[in-house]
Amino acid sequence: MHVPDGFIDAPVSIAAGVAAAGAVAVSLRGARRELDERTAPLAGLVAAFIFAVQMLNFPVAAGTSGHLLGGALAAILVGPYTGVLCVSVVLLMQGVLFADGGLTALGVNVVNMAVVTVVVAYAVFRGLVKLLPAGRRSVTVAAFAGALLSVPAAAVMFTLFYALGGTTDVPLGKVFGAMAGVHVLIGIGEAAITAATVGAVIAVRPDLVHGALGLSAPLKLRVGGELVDAPAATPAAPAGLAARSTKPVWITGLVAALALAGFVSFYASSSPDGLEKVAADKGIDQKVTEHAAAGSPLADYSVKDVSDARLSGGLAGVIGVGGTVVLGTAVFWTVRRRRGADLTAASTAVPAA
């Protein structure tokens, strides 16, 4: 789904850039309400994890692969506003360092892969959570559905961009049919990865899943052969949960991301992803231009002058995960500190007479 330079003309790319900048600005403000001392560093980890999993292309059809987009996963784990920022950080790292996704198309990619996926996935997720019985299983099921629908939604958004500013003369119906068809299949993989990850985090630390806050089912006790709700916890009970360190989760997640990017990625499918395959088959890549960062020492997820392909790709993945977690954590801590400054200013303001 990473749109390269040359697919979409300059006017539409500029308009998409303006829209993306506006969405990021709104998300920076909204993320202040979602982030606290525990979740700010975890948001950086989520961005790094998405970067790592995006390196793992999986086969979806003959000669075609797909990979995680990550909007649904980020929105459910750390909140929709923070989720937009997570995916945007990943896209920025990929475009600047790894020549993946055009720089002039960065706005298009942010709208497609960050904004649309988060909005669609989180809307579906919240709607299903309200309809399903309260509990962890319902959160996982809702996460699956939200992720499943978010990918074809992004494909539809790309088709709209192409309709407005495509640089080649390919019938819109062919582009839409091909994009929607293959990305429905990719959506199944997205849903499986999202549900598995959300389920794993809920199993060990449900308090760290934004989409699960306040949604846990009440504890049941068997009395006289019947299940009844357990008495409500005392106010002091949640304090121990809130005081639990997030360090084990952070370390485990970082190790997993490094392993995926540094080792498992070597075994990912080498087939072109959904957009690349459609572009080649339908001819919408005729005017693609060379990436401005094509000369980067990390272009195409390999380290320049390292001849061993496995080592080169693994090092690039590790560097990417490290850079993403550093940049992401810096962004989210800055947003968190800004929220603290706002709260301090509000609490010390002198009421008007």
Side-chain angles (χ1 to χ4, degrees):
M1 188 64 73
H2 290 79
V3 179
D5 296 317
F7 273 26
I8 307 298
D9 64 22
V12 174
S13 294
I14 293 172
V18 173
V24 168
V26 171
S27 297
L28 285 169
R29 188 172 185 84
R32 298 181 197 175
R33 300 190 298 270
E34 296 173 345
L35 296 171
D36 56 30
E37 289 80 359
R38 297 183 309 152
T39 56
L42 290 176
L45 174 63
V46 169
F49 186 79
I50 290 172
F51 175 93
V53 180
Q54 283 196 4
M55 294 183 66
L56 308 181
N57 281 46
F58 49 84
V60 295
T64 308
S65 69
H67 63 70
L68 182 83
L69 299 188
L73 179 61
I76 295 165
L77 288 179
V78 292
Y81 293 107
T82 307
V84 169
L85 298 179
C86 281
V87 181
S88 297
V89 167
V90 172
L91 292 171
L92 181 63
M93 290 290 294
Q94 291 169 333
V96 173
L97 293 184
F98 298 92
D100 188 12
L103 295 184
T104 62
L106 182 59
V108 172
N109 286 322
V110 168
V111 172
N112 274 351
M113 297 178 65
V115 179
V116 170
T117 58
V118 165
V119 170
V120 172
Y122 202 70
V124 172
F125 172 80
R126 295 302 303 176
L128 285 177
V129 162
K130 292 179 179 180
L131 294 175
L132 296 172
R136 299 177 184 179
R137 182 175 299 178
S138 295
V139 173
T140 304
V141 170
F144 184 96
L148 176 65
L149 295 176
S150 70
V151 178
V156 170
M157 190 68 220
F158 168 78
T159 305
L160 177 59
F161 277 128
Y162 182 81
L164 295 173
T167 57
T168 54
D169 187 20
V170 178
L172 189 60
K174 291 185 177 181
V175 176
F176 174 77
M179 286 293 292
V182 71
H183 284 91
V184 166
L185 299 177
I186 295 173
I188 297 173
E190 177 100 10
I193 295 171
T194 300
T197 305
V198 170
V201 178
I202 286 180
V204 293
R205 289 297 298 271
D207 59 306
L208 297 181
V209 178
H210 178 88
L213 297 180
L215 297 175
S216 58
L219 178 65
K220 298 286 187 178
L221 297 178
R222 187 172 295 277
V223 178
E226 296 183 0
L227 290 176
V228 298
D229 291 344
T234 61
L241 184 62
R244 290 175 61 187
S245 173
T246 61
K247 185 177 294 186
V249 175
W250 197 91
I251 293 174
T252 301
L254 182 61
V255 170
L258 290 171
L260 291 172
F263 176 73
V264 180
S265 62
F266 182 78
Y267 301 97
S269 172
S270 60
S271 298
D273 66 25
L275 177 59
E276 292 172 335
K277 179 66 173 175
V278 171
D281 289 348
K282 304 302 179 183
I284 63 177
D285 60 352
Q286 298 172 14
K287 296 185 179 180
V288 66
T289 58
E290 185 179 31
H291 199 288
S296 165
L298 297 174
D300 296 324
Y301 299 94
S302 61
V303 178
K304 187 177 181 180
D305 297 330
V306 176
S307 57
D308 184 271
R310 185 191 300 268
L311 179 60
S312 179
L315 286 175
V318 168
I319 293 170
V321 168
T324 303
V325 78
V326 169
L327 176 60
T329 301
V331 169
F332 297 123
W333 266 118
T334 300
V335 172
R336 168 59 190 159
R337 287 171 63 88
R338 182 67 179 271
R339 177 192 179 187
D342 290 345
L343 292 175
T344 301
S347 64
T348 57
V350 178

